[in-house]
Amino acid sequence: MKSVDAHLAEILATVRTLAPLELELERSLGTTLAEEVSAPVPLPPFDNSAMDGYAVRAADVEAVPVTLPVIDDVAAGSDELRAVGPGHAVRIMTGAPVPAGADAVVPVEWTDGGTVSVTIGQSAPAGNAIRRAGEDVQAGEVVLRPGTVIGPAQLGIVAGVGRRRVWVRPRPRVVVLSTGAELVEPGLPLRTGQIWDSNSFTLTAAVRESGGDGYRATTVGDDPARFLEQLDAQLVRADAIITSGGVSMGAYEPVKEALSPLGTVRFEKVAMQPGMPQGFGVVGDDQVPIFALPGNPVSSFVSFMLFVRPALRKMRGLPAGAPESVSAQVTGPLRSPAGRRSYLRGVLAADGTVTPARGQGSHQLAALASANALIVVPEDVTEVPAGASVQVIRL
């Protein structure tokens, strides 16, 4: 059997990082920056007030209480030139430019709030409540570098330096396709021998959580020709394809029967549990990667975490490799088949312990839903005693 590490290495050597494109700022959330972004002007571009209050000379409010005449108002967005002379105050709003001559802002809470004259009860040192020009960013300073994932804060700074469009590597478009004549859409009644399809929903959600755009396609039965028709129809909008089911050794395996003759997709046994039957390769003129995952719900999800998620990271232009793990102390004994790396479901606690889930079958989706971690048992280990240290992958 092929090792988990070798299978992942082949996948990462095959998938390509998506080419950058220029997007409107509103569409860039979740993409990966493909250019350097710098500030054309200082941020903030002028000295401005951090609070509603009164712009004064600090020397005039050293001895308090003191009453000063209010000679003007300045609002945020004002472009009029104003100045504060000795012994005067200007009422100022948050974000408004600080008048010439003023070197401090007295918050309105320290005053009686007067509009003609103001009584100030607390002194303010020079620079108080003033945001200096360039205090955040200097002109020409790089604010974001290539390889940065654009989240809300990153999108905000791109807008803050005046950019309307930005060069990024897009979120991968991933089509998820479940196979199996036994599958029924949730919400419809079951007949004998049928189950509700959960894999396509799980995997589509996993794609979106991993930074891709997931598209769930219509479920296909056990007809290889019908599967190829659906696959061809989906390729036009896909940077990658995920299938679940139809890859095992028995009869009625439509994915395997349809793709094996192409010669570009390999179906192999990977030394892991759950998820031993795996398929991977490329399809179509554009050599779109296809991940043919097993049909059992836990097997397909574990396979996604181990193989698809790292591939999506590479496609996004991010560092890609095996999932990170942490050490934990297992609270109960574990068993694992010789020669296969096991990924057992568990609950990782804040105290550094991990408790194995009660159901470890590859079909037991409820046990997976209650877990927050995968406990890794190496290929050469068949038993792990309670209290032993294990490696854990956070879900």
Side-chain angles (χ1 to χ4, degrees):
M1 288 189 288
K2 189 178 183 181
S3 73
V4 171
D5 298 333
H7 192 59
L8 176 59
E10 180 183 320
I11 288 170
L12 293 181
T14 302
V15 300
R16 297 167 296 190
T17 301
L18 297 180
L21 50 81
E22 192 176 28
L23 289 182
E24 291 286 339
L25 199 52
E26 293 92 333
R27 297 177 56 203
S28 68
L29 184 67
T31 62
T32 306
L33 191 63
E35 64 167 318
E36 204 170 68
V37 176
S38 57
V41 298
L43 296 180
F46 52 87
D47 290 357
N48 67 90
S49 177
M51 305 183 73
D52 293 339
Y54 298 85
V56 299
R57 296 176 180 241
D60 292 335
V61 295
E62 286 183 352
V64 291
V66 61
T67 299
L68 303 176
V70 177
I71 61 171
D72 210 341
D73 283 357
V74 56
S78 174
D79 60 357
E80 296 181 21
L81 298 177
R82 292 178 170 81
V84 175
H88 296 92
V90 167
R91 194 164 66 145
I92 192 169
M93 308 306 157
T94 302
V98 176
D103 61 0
V105 171
V106 178
V108 69
E109 293 84 358
W110 298 359
T111 74
D112 65 354
T115 56
V116 177
S117 65
V118 59
T119 299
I120 297 170
Q122 184 175 332
S123 60
N128 189 70
I130 293 178
R131 303 165 178 155
R132 296 298 182 186
E135 185 178 281
D136 187 13
V137 177
Q138 294 293 323
E141 184 178 343
V142 175
V143 295
L144 292 176
R145 299 189 182 278
T148 301
V149 176
I150 299 182
Q154 291 73 31
L155 195 150
I157 189 60
V158 174
V161 300
R163 294 285 298 273
R164 195 69 182 82
R165 300 172 66 87
V166 64
W167 280 91
V168 298
R169 298 191 188 278
R171 295 165 59 96
R173 300 166 301 167
V174 183
V175 173
V176 177
L177 181 59
S178 285
T179 66
E182 76 279 13
L183 300 180
V184 175
E185 286 286 306
L188 297 179
L190 293 180
R191 295 197 301 269
T192 301
Q194 293 183 327
I195 61 172
W196 286 299
D197 172 35
S198 63
N199 283 3
S200 63
F201 291 91
T202 302
L203 295 171
T204 302
V207 167
R208 293 170 181 166
E209 190 179 60
S210 300
D213 287 331
Y215 302 97
R216 178 180 170 269
T218 304
T219 300
V220 178
D222 290 336
D223 182 355
R226 179 71 186 94
F227 169 77
L228 280 178
E229 289 177 6
Q230 177 73 295
L231 181 63
D232 288 340
Q234 298 299 330
L235 281 175
V236 295
R237 63 167 176 170
D239 297 309
I241 301 282
I242 301 173
T243 68
S244 69
V247 298
S248 295
M249 302 301 294
Y252 307 108
E253 304 293 348
V255 176
K256 196 172 184 178
E257 292 178 37
L259 298 182
S260 291
L262 301 180
T264 58
V265 182
R266 294 175 61 183
F267 292 88
E268 303 172 282
K269 292 181 179 180
V270 177
M272 59 186 285
Q273 181 173 295
M276 182 178 65
Q278 295 286 334
F280 174 74
V282 294
V283 290
D285 294 337
D286 294 330
Q287 301 287 281
V288 175
I290 184 166
F291 301 84
L293 307 183
N296 280 319
V298 179
S299 301
S300 65
F301 181 74
V302 170
S303 300
F304 179 94
M305 295 298 295
L306 297 181
F307 305 127
V308 185
R309 189 180 177 97
L312 293 180
R313 286 186 61 84
K314 181 174 180 181
M315 296 175 75
R316 297 173 67 202
L318 301 174
E324 293 184 0
S325 62
V326 297
S327 295
Q329 186 179 51
V330 66
T331 61
L334 305 173
R335 299 185 67 183
S336 177
R340 283 196 267 175
R341 190 180 303 177
S342 285
Y343 297 90
L344 306 174
R345 279 66 69 203
V347 177
L348 181 64
D351 63 0
T353 62
V354 61
T355 301
R358 296 185 62 182
Q360 294 292 343
S362 59
H363 63 292
Q364 291 179 295
L365 189 56
L368 176 65
S370 66
N372 65 1
L374 297 176
I375 307 168
V376 184
V377 182
E379 292 87 337
D380 57 351
V381 176
T382 57
E383 294 188 10
V384 178
S389 178
V390 292
Q391 290 298 301
V392 171
I393 299 170
R394 298 179 188 272
L395 295 180

